[in-house]
Amino acid sequence: MTATDDDARWAEKKKKQKAARDRMLATKTREKGLLVVHTGTGKGKTTAAMGLVMRALGHGFRVGIVQFVKGKWETGERAILDRFPELVTIRVMGEGFSWDSQDRQRDIAAARAAWAMAQELLADPSYRLIVLDELNIVLRYEHLPVDEVVAVLVARRPDLHVVVTGRNAPDYLIEAADTVTLMDARKHHFRANVKAQQGIEF
Ligand code: ATP
Ligand code: MG
């Protein structure tokens, strides 16, 4: 077979693929604020949410972010987002639940306070995207009632996008979500004793 035959077959195959894709896309006509969940044990849940924040900001959308788990590092994304105070609101759960905390009652109080902040942002019509980072973690620990949280998320403004991150997303949230992505940990450098790297992990 000559190169020309190969090229002709390739073009024919691509043409069919494009037609199938166009037919498929023609059925996608709805507009909707999405409930997106990033879960699983692999790396990338929060950073993928930050990618969506960047995408939304590029369109001039206002974005609200609530961090339900207090990290120990000053993250790179925080430093960048602080440069856009008119577009981005970041609320970090106060004293309380962190990866190191051992005081359950304090954690519960902190989770409730963060959820109150989240509800305030969810109710503010100026936001187009709300990120609830590591909400899954506090739901997993039952520091917040999952049915109440999901009910509020489902009852959000119909054009508001919400992204929830964290391992172990509860089934009830997964059922309610429009898009769920499971990050799969095929490999992680921690296993080879590489410490958290600046610019990659924080
Ligand atoms: P990132 O913020 O890098 O997107 P993530 O949100 O998916 O990560 P978390 O569960 O929030 O992951 O954990 C945060 C930290 O734990 C990150 O520093 C990340 O590199 C690390 N981490 C994520 N997955 C793993 C894993 N499978 N093993 C060890 N460490 C991990
Ligand atoms: Mg995370």
Side-chain angles (χ1 to χ4, degrees), residues 44-47 99 133-134 165-167:
K45 299 173 292 291
T46 296
T47 42
W99 299 110
D133 188 43
E134 314 300 350
T165 83
R167 294 176 185 210

Side-chain angles (χ1 to χ4, degrees), residues 1 9 29 32 36 66 68 80 89 106 136 160 163 165 168 174 177 186 192 199:
M1 191 153 56
R9 274 168 201 247
T29 53
K32 184 182 189 299
V36 177
V66 180
F68 281 82
I80 283 293
T89 304
R106 201 177 70 162
N136 290 335
L160 177 65
V163 182
T165 83
N168 299 120
I174 288 176
R186 296 288 181 90

Side-chain angles (χ1 to χ4, degrees), residues 18-29:
K18 184 178 181 308
R21 191 176 160 75
D22 288 348
R23 274 197 305 278
M24 185 271 289
L25 288 177
T27 65
K28 314 288 178 236
T29 53

Side-chain angles (χ1 to χ4, degrees), residues 41-43 184-192:
T41 54
K43 172 170 163 52
D184 185 8
R186 296 288 181 90
K187 266 188 163 187
H188 194 287
H189 48 275
F190 273 28
R191 283 191 208 160

